[in-house]
Amino acid sequence: GVRFILRLVDLTTEHHVWGDSFDGDRERPLELQDRIVAGVLRNLRTGIRGAEIDHASRTAPRNLDSYGLAMRALPLLYSSTPEAARRALELLHRATEIEPDDGLAAALAAWGHAQLVMYNGTLAPAEEARQARQLSRIAAILDTDDPIALTARCAVHISAREFDAAEALVKRALARDPTCGWAWGRSGWLHSYRGKSEAAI
């Protein structure tokens, strides 16, 4: 038998980002190669994103670029509370000031405004909903491929009960990254809202 051990390390910090080992038969190298490639594709994107979020959380916001601010905002948005959404929006508006063409920041900001409506965190829900839709449209123009941006826009459309648009976006997100847990979760909620409980589960 043979064992391959793979490690991904951030050379600037020496932080271990991701690693795994793969055992196989040296007489069937192509089979082992396929398993290694599948394992890397399944786990690498999540590992890198997690390392980026961790780095952003340990760095002062004033020292972060637009992408770093978006990564710092993402866990706040995952918290799903009005207070966290407002803090995330402060970071994301700063991100779009630094980089007006950042589609990821625009998509996450759209979701933040939608959260304020969904969780009764605003005295002006119509205005927050308008901003969410506007930022989602801007994100559509600026960023078409990032699965997190696509899923954020999906969440905005779900909150507006625009289920066809939400479904198209979440399908695109999962096509780009079949390991995106947030996209799978949004897909489950979408099926639930449409009364398809078995598919949702």
Side-chain angles (χ1 to χ4, degrees):
V2 63
R3 170 174 292 174
F4 280 89
I5 299 173
L6 303 182
R7 291 183 66 213
L8 179 65
V9 176
D10 182 340
L11 292 179
T12 60
T13 64
E14 297 186 1
H15 176 71
H16 176 82
V17 175
W18 172 79
D20 205 347
S21 63
F22 300 88
D23 295 327
D25 187 341
R26 72 172 63 241
E27 301 300 322
R28 290 185 279 185
L30 294 180
E31 181 180 304
L32 178 58
Q33 175 183 296
D34 289 346
R35 286 183 45 236
I36 292 172
V37 170
V40 170
L41 291 175
R42 187 172 57 249
N43 296 296
L44 192 57
R45 185 191 297 265
T46 303
I48 291 173
R49 184 82 72 178
E52 290 169 337
I53 290 171
D54 182 60
H55 172 73
S57 70
R58 291 183 284 104
T59 304
R62 66 179 177 275
N63 295 328
L64 290 170
D65 61 8
S66 177
Y67 184 78
L69 289 165
M71 289 300 96
R72 193 177 177 102
L74 191 55
L76 293 169
L77 292 170
Y78 284 153
S79 299
S80 299
T81 68
E83 297 77 14
R86 281 191 284 270
R87 288 168 53 207
L89 283 169
E90 291 176 7
L91 295 168
L92 292 165
H93 290 315
R94 191 179 312 164
T96 55
E97 288 174 359
I98 294 171
E99 181 53 68
D101 294 337
D102 187 337
L104 176 61
L108 293 178
W111 183 33
H113 286 288
Q115 282 193 357
L116 292 179
V117 178
M118 292 166 55
Y119 303 128
N120 299 315
T122 178
L123 297 175
E127 173 59 20
E128 295 291 350
R130 186 195 67 76
Q131 288 193 57
R133 289 191 300 272
Q134 179 181 355
L135 285 164
S136 183
R137 285 193 295 270
I138 291 170
I141 295 168
L142 297 175
D143 193 319
T144 58
D145 285 333
D146 189 301
I148 296 296
L150 291 168
T151 307
R153 290 174 52 217
C154 165
V156 172
H157 284 289
I158 289 176
S159 70
R161 304 191 68 80
E162 297 167 351
F163 297 148
D164 288 344
E167 183 175 7
L169 288 164
V170 81
K171 282 182 175 179
R172 285 174 58 198
L174 289 169
R176 289 288 300 159
D177 181 8
T179 68
C180 183
W182 183 34
W184 283 114
R186 282 290 146 186
S187 182
W189 280 112
L190 181 57
H191 284 301
S192 178
Y193 294 145
R194 286 180 151 170
K196 301 177 181 179
S197 57
E198 288 189 16
I201 291 168

